[in-house]
Amino acid sequence: MSSKTDQRAQEILRLLLRQGKTSIEELTGILGKSPASVRRDLIRLQERGLVHRTHGGVMLAEQVVYEPFRFDASFQVREDRFAQEKQRIARVATDMILEGETIGLTAGTTTTQVARGLRQRSGSASLPTQ
């Protein structure tokens, strides 16, 4: 992929990390590209396993949530509380983790955001999921 294509992909993923899902129409406005170009970007991201295309839009392929909390309503409520702050913390933390490093995360709403950020790295798309 070209650097411009990579930049658009990163912008799409950043938006999805903030919102969870978006529309083709919104992406064309943000990226300043045609719907066909946006769809091609989304196809590439879907092929990498990063997004799931929907009718007229896109969402993150797999929300990373510690399995015991997946259906815990209180976890979902806590995750929404101070969501923007948690996402900012996660971005900074994710930037500090170098490719190939091993880390440990405890179960929590902010660490879930860190895990989501790490999942979106270009190298992690090729890792097998367990």
Side-chain angles (χ1 to χ4, degrees):
M1 279 192 273
S2 73
S3 63
K4 287 183 182 182
T5 304
D6 287 338
Q7 288 173 336
R8 283 196 314 270
Q10 290 300 318
E11 196 166 343
I12 291 168
L13 292 173
R14 273 190 233 105
L15 177 70
L16 289 174
L17 283 171
R18 283 193 308 272
Q19 296 180 196
K21 61 184 176 180
T22 189
S23 68
I24 301 283
E25 182 179 342
E26 183 177 11
L27 287 172
T28 57
I30 291 170
L31 300 172
K33 295 293 177 184
S34 70
S37 292
V38 170
R39 283 187 193 94
R40 284 191 297 272
D41 289 338
L42 297 178
I43 288 168
R44 283 189 281 275
L45 289 170
Q46 185 170 4
E47 287 171 349
R48 293 173 57 196
L50 298 173
V51 301
H52 174 71
R53 293 171 56 222
T54 61
H55 182 70
V58 64
M59 60 192 292
L60 286 176
E62 179 183 328
Q63 293 291 322
V64 178
V65 176
Y66 183 56
E67 190 61 34
F69 296 132
R70 185 173 300 278
F71 302 107
D72 181 352
S74 66
F75 183 84
Q76 300 300 323
V77 169
R78 289 192 321 272
E79 188 174 37
D80 290 340
R81 193 176 305 135
F82 304 110
Q84 291 180 346
E85 290 84 351
K86 292 173 185 183
Q87 290 167 354
R88 283 196 298 269
I89 292 166
R91 279 193 294 275
V92 171
T94 302
D95 289 343
M96 296 172 71
I97 301 166
L98 300 175
E99 214 45 59
E101 282 188 319
T102 301
I103 63 163
L105 298 173
T106 60
T109 56
T110 305
T111 53
T112 296
Q113 293 297 325
V114 173
R116 287 179 178 146
L118 291 171
R119 175 92 166 110
Q120 301 310 315
R121 285 193 172 172
S122 60
S124 50
S126 60
L127 296 175
T129 55
Q130 298 179 4

